Every structure is written in structure tokens, then in C-alpha cells.
Amino acid sequence: MKHILARSAARALIGGGRNYHRHFSTAVILEPRHQHGGGALGSFYIRRLSSVPEMKDEQAGETKNEVNNSNAVVSSYWGISRPKVQREDGTEWPWNCFMPWDTYRADVSIDVTKHHLPKTFTDKVAFRAVKFLRVLSDMYFKERYGCHAMMLETIAAVPGMVGGMLLHLKSLRKFQHSGGWIKALLEEAENERMHLMTMVELVKPSWHERLLVITAQGVFFNAFFVFYLLSPKAAHRFVGYLEEEAVISYTQHLNAIESGKVENVPAPAIAIDYWRLPKDATLKDVITVIRADEAHHRDVNHFASDIHHQGKELKEAPAPLGYH
């Protein structure tokens, strides 16, 4: 009798342990179950006592919280759920990739014609490298302005992420502040990514263009990572010239729209909300604000390179935050 009781209790305890994540306080009780005709030993069954409702109650609660969509992610007991956000007009905010407080109005009055004259050896190398890449991209895309812009943004979003990541790690190693430059560079990367998300709405990339993006990103990320480690001064100058070429490319895109070569289609909804554009905004409005963003990134990276040229670190100068 004692051996049977001990084995039954051990099985119950092991089984109850497996369900601990469902029942925070569970007791296992062995109670006699009388069979027909009785018996000297009888039999036992397990009954749980729990301080929380049964699983069927939990499942019922989760079912109530589910959205009527088979693809929707069901919130668990972790309590992770998206807050209800609305536009200024009271309609529901439709985007998960950015929130209303991430939106802004671009400063389109920025000077898009500025150019940093290469003076030092590193400046000249960076300038020539960017011009060489520009020739290759023009040969491939020619007058396919939308595809050219899409490819440009997949590359332009890399330097800010690499620079911000390396400054973040440096801040952790040296126990020092970054002067806001981590945030500034990561904001730049996020802004460039939003440019890409907008262009994808306008241009559907083909399979070979997607393959080109994967290849270019794999090469460029690793190359720029090493480049930034060796010389942040030259890396920021390179990005400054890269952004100058982006401004030129978007200016050509605008000229093509104004001349009728490119249709001035309605602006994508994501662009209207991100840049707070009017509801009747067009492609011309979108390209105008993107060009203004690129001009700002140009100035930020040339400024960062100038700081290094003065023999100082970025943290010694306040980062240009608040543009985005």
C-alpha cells in the first residue's frame, strides 16, 4: 500500500511541475475512488487545487481579446499590446513602423546647392570614390529615377546605423556620453529607411534588383564598418559626398517630373503621414521633402568630418538633433 501511494504521488508531482506555468499554486491530492465491488486497496485519482481559474477560463479570456483576423498576433499574459493611437482628425493611426510623434515637416528651404570642396588627401579620395560609384549607378539605372532612388536608399541607410552602433559601443567601453551623436546618426538611418519604404510603394523592385540590393548591402556594410573603424573622419566625409550625389539625383528626378518624363502620381499614404503632407500631395511633393532630408544629412556628415579634422571627438560638439 505504501509503495503504491508513493509512486502515485511522485507521478502527480512530476505532472504538476510541467504545468507550473499555467497554475501558480497547485496541490496534488490523492483521493480514493471506489469501484464496483470495492477492494482492499481501491484506486486513486488526481484532483488539483489551484489559486487561479482553470485553463478553460484563461482560454475564454484570450478568445475575447483576439481580433477577428486569423493572421493577428494574440496578446499573451505578458501584457504586450499596442496603445490606441489616433490622428489629429480622430481617425485611427494605421502605421506600426512609426508613430505620430515621429512625424515632422521637412525644412524645404535648406540650400540644396552647397558643396564641400575637397582640400585634404582624404577628402579627395572620398570625393573620387563617390563619383566613381555614381558613374556605375548611372550606367545601370539610366533614367529609371524611381529604381535609382530605391537602390540609393538601401545604401544610404547603412552609414548612420554603422556609425551610431560603433559610437554606442565606444560609449559603453569608455563610460562616457556621446554628445547626442548616437541618437543623431540612428535618426539619420531611420529617416533613410523611411525614404526606402516610401519608394517601395512607388516602385516595385524586380527579382534582379532585389538580388542587387542584397549583394550591395552585404559588401557595403562590411566595407563601411571597417572604413569607420580605421578613419571616422574619412567615413563621414565620404557619406557627406554621397548625400551630395543623392541631392543631385533627386533634383534630376524633380526635373523629370516637371518636364513630364515621369508622371506626377498621388503621394503614397505613408509619405503623407510621415512628412505631414496635405492629403492631395503628389510625387513631386514627396521627392521635394526627401531631397531636403538628404541635404540635411549632407551637412551633418560634413560637420562630423570637420570635427575630426580639428583633432576632436564628436562628443565635444553638440549633435544636430531635432531635425526629424
Side-chain angles (χ1 to χ4, degrees), residues 288-320:
T288 300
V289 294
I290 291 179
R291 184 179 65 170
D293 287 348
E294 303 292 6
H296 174 74
H297 300 157
R298 171 203 64 195
D299 295 347
V300 169
N301 280 278
H302 281 316
F303 173 49
S305 184
D306 288 344
I307 295 171
H308 284 293
H309 270 88
Q310 296 171 20
K312 299 180 179 179
E313 294 187 19
L314 292 182
K315 65 183 180 66
E316 299 181 57

Side-chain angles (χ1 to χ4, degrees), residues 165-216:
M165 176 184 67
L166 291 176
L167 287 180
H168 174 74
L169 296 176
K170 182 178 180 180
S171 176
L172 298 181
R173 289 195 310 271
K174 295 192 172 182
F175 310 103
Q176 64 185 16
H177 294 287
S178 69
W181 279 96
I182 296 174
K183 185 175 179 61
L185 294 178
L186 293 181
E187 279 185 353
E188 177 184 316
E190 173 65 10
N191 182 246
E192 297 283 11
R193 190 186 67 85
M194 289 304 299
H195 293 177
L196 176 63
M197 296 298 103
T198 300
M199 297 311 300
V200 169
E201 293 291 323
L202 297 165
V203 182
K204 303 303 179 184
S206 60
W207 68 268
H208 57 87
E209 288 170 340
R210 290 178 180 271
L211 181 61
L212 180 61
V213 167
I214 294 172
T215 305

Side-chain angles (χ1 to χ4, degrees), residues 113-131 233-234 236-238 240-242 244-245 302 305-306 309:
T113 63
K114 284 167 59 176
H115 168 62
H116 182 278
L117 291 174
K119 299 177 182 178
T120 65
F121 175 74
T122 55
D123 288 357
K124 292 176 181 178
V125 171
F127 180 71
R128 293 300 177 187
V130 170
K131 284 298 183 182
K233 172 176 61 179
H236 281 293
R237 187 69 77 204
F238 174 84
Y241 287 130
L242 194 67
E244 286 187 14
E245 293 301 320
H302 281 316
S305 184
D306 288 344
H309 270 88

Side-chain angles (χ1 to χ4, degrees), residues 26-66:
T26 303
V28 179
I29 297 180
L30 301 178
E31 294 183 357
R33 175 179 288 173
H34 300 289
Q35 299 178 350
H36 297 293
L41 298 178
S43 61
F44 295 86
Y45 71 96
I46 299 172
R47 179 166 63 91
R48 284 193 185 92
L49 296 179
S50 176
S51 61
V52 296
E54 294 294 330
M55 277 302 297
K56 62 181 181 180
D57 297 329
E58 294 180 8
Q59 293 172 350
E62 289 181 358
T63 303
K64 292 179 182 178
N65 293 330
E66 287 188 36

